[in-house]
Amino acid sequence: MADKELTYQDVAEHNTKKDLFVVIHDKIYDATKFIDEHPGGEEVLLDVGGQDATEAFEDVGHSDEARETLEQLYVGTLKRKPGDPAPKGQTSSLAPVANTSSAGMGTVLYAVVFVGGLLAFGAYQYLQTQQGKEA
């Protein structure tokens, strides 16, 4: 099929079992012929029909074979307009984002416990030497 450029509104009109488009990574696929063959069942596709299905597709972790099948269903690209829903799942799932604010608090907590332990040990040694001088 020739490469078409459709808007999100155009894709949204294709959301039934007999006419089903999905958007994955801003590429549009016609899943109509594949709906009965989908291993996850037709409900999975109908839930994301006429919408951006990128997040749902990537969360499942589809096989290489599934990605090849997807290429055969390709219709065109999505032309985004102001007001369209933001793309989902554009961040890489290979490297999770580090939460540095809570990691810093953990380091500070360990430092406080360590310094507190050193002070307690020093106070104990001081008191022991003071008792030794009195005896």
Side-chain angles (χ1 to χ4, degrees):
M1 191 175 260
D3 190 26
K4 293 181 184 178
E5 192 173 66
L6 301 172
T7 64
Y8 200 87
Q9 186 176 0
D10 295 332
V11 174
E13 295 171 3
H14 302 271
N15 62 359
T16 65
K17 184 175 179 178
K18 296 184 184 215
D19 183 23
L20 188 71
F21 282 12
V22 293
V23 176
I24 300 173
H25 296 295
D26 286 349
K27 293 182 180 178
I28 303 165
Y29 301 94
D30 183 353
T32 309
K33 294 176 184 173
F34 184 70
I35 194 165
D36 291 327
E37 300 172 29
H38 188 259
E42 67 182 44
E43 283 301 316
V44 176
L45 289 175
L46 289 171
D47 286 345
V48 295
Q51 304 175 47
D52 190 334
T54 303
E55 186 175 17
F57 183 82
E58 294 299 343
D59 283 350
V60 173
H62 282 88
S63 65
D64 291 338
E65 183 180 343
R67 292 177 190 277
E68 289 173 12
T69 301
L70 198 61
E71 289 175 19
Q72 297 169 4
L73 305 175
Y74 179 76
V75 173
T77 57
L78 182 66
K79 179 180 181 182
R80 291 201 177 268
K81 291 184 173 182
D84 285 350
K88 298 178 184 176
Q90 294 295 320
T91 57
S92 172
S93 61
L94 298 177
V97 177
N99 186 352
T100 56
S101 62
S102 64
M105 287 300 293
T107 304
V108 170
L109 181 62
Y110 281 120
V112 168
V113 170
F114 181 72
V115 170
L118 285 176
L119 288 173
F121 179 72
Y124 174 77
Q125 291 296 326
Y126 175 76
L127 290 174
Q128 289 297 325
T129 56
Q130 293 301 322
Q131 281 184 340
K133 290 181 182 178
E134 289 177 8

